C-alpha cells in the first residue's frame, strides 16, 4: 500500500452490516472508509489461497484483501464519508480477539466500527485515533473518548 494516509481495516458501517475488508483514507476535510472491491467469492478463494500457501499470494501481490484505491473510494457509493468536524466520539480499544476503533459521528445512529488487520494492530488503532482526534479538533470539534462496553479495554491516546 503506497498511500501513507491509508490504513487497512475491517469495516462495519452499521450494526446490521457484515464485516468487510477495506481501507480508511485520511483526506484533507474528511475520512473515507471504503470496502474492498472484491466480492464474497473472490474473498473466499483469496483467503483460502492465503491460508493454504501461508500468505504467499498476498506477500507476492497476487491478492490483496483490502484492495481499494483512494480514487475508487472517492467515487464508490458504498464509501462512508465522515467530515472531521462531525466526529463527536472515539473509542480505541482492545478486545479478546484484537483491536478496534469505534467512531461516533454527529447525525449517524450507529457508530462506525473499524477492526484492524495488520502486524502491529495496536499501533495502527492508536495512531489513527490520534490523527482523527487532531483533525477533528482542527475542524472545530472536540471528540470525547467513550467506552463501548462489553469485554473491552480502552487504549490510551496520550503518549
Amino acid at each position: 500500500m503506497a498511500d501513507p494516509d491509508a490504513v487497512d481495516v475491517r469495516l462495519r458501517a452499521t450494526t446490521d452490516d457484515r464485516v468487510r475488508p477495506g481501507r480508511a483514507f485520511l483526506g484533507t476535510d474528511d475520512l473515507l472508509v471504503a470496502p474492498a472491491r472484491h466480492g464474497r467469492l473472490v474473498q473466499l478463494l483469496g483467503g483460502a489461497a492465503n491460508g493454504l500457501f501461508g500468505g504467499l499470494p498476498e506477500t507476492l501481490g497476487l491478492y490483496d484483501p483490502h484492495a481499494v484505491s483512494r480514487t475508487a473510494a472517492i467515487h464508490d457509493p458504498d464509501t462512508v464519508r465522515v467530515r472531521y468536524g462531525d466526529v463527536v466520539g472515539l473509542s480505541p480499544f482492545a478486545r479478546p480477539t484484537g483491536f478496534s476503533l469505534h467512531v461516533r459521528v454527529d447525525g449517524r445512529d450507529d457508530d462506525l466500527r473499524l477492526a484492524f488487520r495488520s502486524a502491529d494492530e495496536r499501533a495502527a488503532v492508536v495512531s489513527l485515533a490520534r490523527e482523527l482526534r487532531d483533525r477533528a479538533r482542527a475542524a472545530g470539534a472536540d471528540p470525547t473518548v467513550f467506552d463501548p462496553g462489553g469485554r473491552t479495554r480502552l487504549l490510551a491516546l496520550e503518549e
Side-chain angles (χ1 to χ4, degrees):
M1 181 173 63
D3 192 343
D5 287 334
V7 179
D8 290 345
V9 297
R10 299 195 44 84
L11 164 68
R12 191 169 173 194
T14 65
T15 54
D16 298 334
D17 283 350
R18 67 181 176 89
V19 177
R20 300 181 294 176
R23 285 203 174 113
F25 297 94
L26 294 167
T28 54
D29 298 323
D30 53 7
L31 169 72
L32 300 174
V33 183
R37 65 175 183 248
H38 300 305
R40 287 185 183 185
L41 179 62
V42 173
Q43 288 177 13
L44 177 69
L45 294 175
N50 266 340
L52 184 62
F53 298 111
L56 189 62
E58 191 172 342
T59 304
L60 294 175
L62 300 174
Y63 171 71
D64 182 2
H66 300 278
V68 63
S69 67
R70 183 182 294 270
T71 303
I74 290 170
H75 299 294
D76 187 357
D78 290 336
T79 298
V80 177
R81 290 167 177 76
V82 176
R83 288 185 39 234
Y84 296 126
D86 292 340
V87 175
V88 295
L90 297 169
S91 179
F93 62 91
R95 60 189 193 296
T97 58
F99 295 89
S100 292
L101 172 65
H102 289 192
V103 181
R104 284 200 178 140
V105 181
D106 192 27
R108 283 183 59 105
D109 293 334
D110 295 325
D111 296 343
L112 180 62
R113 298 163 183 244
L114 305 175
F116 291 79
R117 178 186 175 270
S118 69
D120 194 7
E121 294 177 354
R122 185 183 193 288
V125 171
V126 171
S127 66
L128 181 61
R130 282 181 186 155
E131 191 63 32
L132 280 174
R133 180 193 60 193
D134 294 345
R135 290 182 186 212
R137 286 180 178 166
D142 189 24
T144 60
V145 175
F146 68 93
D147 186 356
R151 293 178 31 186
T152 62
R153 180 179 46 85
L154 284 174
L155 302 173
L157 293 181
E158 305 308 320
E159 294 180 27

